[in-house]
Amino acid sequence: MTLLGTACSAPSTELEESPVDLEESPADLSNDATGQPETDLSLAFGEAYQNQRGTVTVSAPEPYLPSDTAAMSPDSQRAIIVTVTASNTTSEVFSAYEWTVGVTADGQTGEEVVDYGTSGGPTDPPDILPGKTGSWRVALGLPAAEPAEIIVSVSMTWDTAESIYWEGTG
């Protein structure tokens, strides 16, 4: 019987160090060595999420009465509206198509309401040029008829995180 030797390298015991941002805010999306966010990505309505690409804020929800022409699920018991504001601190344009907004109420999924039949209703997200700020209003249908624990998620395809969450009662 002949034994064949194979070359094996011993696993390294040294860890690669990641740069540390000393000016990291509590809502900053820094990743640890596993690539996972180090901080809680849940904010109160009105609080700002900030990272090296910019700042995003979601206002407190307000009651919203959809028009007769609104596209809204029959499962929605009521609607709210929030204002999303984003500032761009990069040298690239934030495209309007990079934003996704979602909602849950008391753990049940809601939906975005499309309603261009009323003034003061939802608006499309703008393209946000470098160094500029843009805002848009998002109407959301809720499955809960009464005030509920509401979580609004905002996803940005230019960011490293899945979503950032704003929560409160509304």
Side-chain angles (χ1 to χ4, degrees), residues 95-106:
S95 171
Y97 300 104
E98 294 183 278
W99 301 95
T100 304
V101 178
V103 66
T104 61
D106 287 342

Side-chain angles (χ1 to χ4, degrees), residues 38-103:
E38 293 179 344
T39 57
D40 183 13
L41 299 179
S42 182
L43 305 166
F45 288 113
E47 287 185 327
Y49 158 78
Q50 182 174 5
N51 72 5
Q52 70 278 7
R53 303 217 35 152
T55 303
V56 180
T57 305
V58 174
S59 71
E62 299 174 18
Y64 178 69
L65 181 61
S67 72
D68 293 339
T69 60
M72 186 168 147
S73 168
D75 295 334
S76 293
Q77 301 294 309
R78 65 187 178 104
I80 58 169
I81 195 161
V82 297
T83 300
V84 179
T85 302
S87 298
N88 180 350
T89 59
T90 73
S91 60
E92 302 169 13
V93 174
F94 290 168
S95 171
Y97 300 104
E98 294 183 278
W99 301 95
T100 304
V101 178
V103 66

Side-chain angles (χ1 to χ4, degrees), residues 96-97 99 112 114 116 121-127 135-138:
Y97 300 104
W99 301 95
E112 190 167 344
V114 178
Y116 297 106
T123 56
D124 290 328
D127 288 339
S135 293
W136 64 101
R137 292 172 56 85
V138 181

